[in-house]
Amino acid sequence: MPTPEGPATGRSLRSPVGLGKAVCVLLGAVAVADLLALGAGAYARQVYGDGMADDFLRFDEALADRADTLYQASGSLQVLTFLATAVVFLVWFRRVRLNAEVFDAYAHSMRPGWAIGGWFVPVGNLWLPHRVASGVWTASSPGGSNRAPAPRGLLHAWWAVLVCSELVSRFTGSAADAEEADEVLHAFDLGMATDALDIVSAVLAILFVRRLTAMQGERAAERAATVPPLTPERADRGRSH
């Protein structure tokens, strides 16, 4: 990506391409982990459902232990892939937010620090990161000074599924201590619903990351074609201000 200096901020653009590729690979790993968890949840539900059907008269302890082991192992894999992805995603998200400040400093309703901080605000994390992403999307839309923001359908779809997954996950957590037969099966159902939503969210996130990264590349190329090169004289004048 070309890296002309941003006249309004004094910052230079930094390519998000490498980070974007890393995020997409890790999101793919998240989707695979969720798919494995979905399968483990379906297997565990079948084992427990069959046992509960006749009041545990033919309950197979060995099968139940195997189902529990697979279910817990898949959950651990989900946590590991999620944590790794979250770290790299936040680094990428901060970078595209800083680039967007160079493209258009007036397209944002929140300061750059919220690109990371917004995810850690209880309840507020259901919409604050979306506001940050919306500003980045607007500023990164290619087309010059007369541009209209690129269609936001992908952004909205990703965020809607992500929020739905988070809400269902909270219900799943509250059902984790279920003891009654119906409650246990319901907890498995909620867990599988969360896994399915997580898979869709990961796929949409990959599309979102790829699209926004490509948009910033196009926007940077436009700037490189219109912004004068940074000569020593211009650099000295910038430092004097």
Side-chain angles (χ1 to χ4, degrees):
M1 175 187 288
T3 58
E5 182 182 343
T9 64
R11 293 193 180 100
S12 294
L13 299 176
R14 297 184 63 191
S15 174
V17 174
L19 284 170
K21 290 180 179 179
V23 172
C24 289
V25 170
L26 289 170
L27 283 168
V30 167
V32 171
D34 289 331
L35 185 61
L36 293 174
L38 182 61
Y43 176 66
R45 191 195 189 287
Q46 180 180 359
V47 169
Y48 279 89
D50 291 345
M52 293 173 182
D54 55 5
D55 295 326
F56 293 98
L57 293 178
R58 292 181 297 173
F59 189 66
D60 191 324
E61 293 285 350
L63 282 179
D65 289 342
R66 182 186 306 166
D68 288 339
T69 298
L70 290 174
Y71 197 63
Q72 293 172 7
S74 65
S76 298
L77 181 61
Q78 283 180 298
V79 171
L80 290 174
T81 54
F82 170 79
L83 290 176
T85 304
V87 171
V88 181
F89 177 88
L90 288 177
V91 176
W92 171 84
F93 197 52
R94 181 177 182 274
R95 178 165 297 184
V96 294
R97 172 60 182 86
L98 293 175
N99 284 346
E101 190 82 4
V102 177
F103 295 142
D104 186 349
Y106 303 102
H108 313 281
S109 60
M110 306 185 72
R111 297 182 65 83
W114 287 103
I116 293 179
W119 296 91
F120 298 96
V121 178
V123 182
N125 56 16
L126 296 177
W127 72 84
L128 293 177
H130 180 270
R131 287 183 61 186
V132 176
S134 182
V136 174
W137 192 272
T138 298
S140 304
S141 297
S145 58
N146 296 322
R147 74 190 188 282
R152 301 170 186 267
L154 178 58
L155 168 61
H156 296 329
W158 164 60
W159 193 254
V161 175
L162 185 65
V163 170
C164 287
S165 174
E166 175 63 21
L167 294 177
V168 174
S169 177
R170 293 181 185 184
F171 281 114
T172 304
S174 65
D177 297 327
E179 296 181 357
E180 298 294 329
D182 291 343
E183 294 176 344
V184 170
L185 296 181
H186 182 59
F188 279 125
D189 290 338
L190 286 175
M192 289 188 291
T194 301
D195 294 334
L197 286 171
D198 285 345
I199 293 171
V200 177
S201 176
V203 172
L204 290 173
I206 290 172
L207 298 176
F208 167 72
V209 170
R210 286 172 57 87
R211 178 59 183 143
L212 186 52
T213 300
M215 284 167 56
Q216 290 212 337
E218 294 176 41
R219 190 83 169 94
E222 291 175 354
R223 284 181 53 82
T226 58
V227 176
L230 185 62
T231 62
E233 292 78 9
R234 286 186 65 229
D236 290 339
R237 286 200 300 271
R239 284 192 291 268
S240 67
H241 292 305

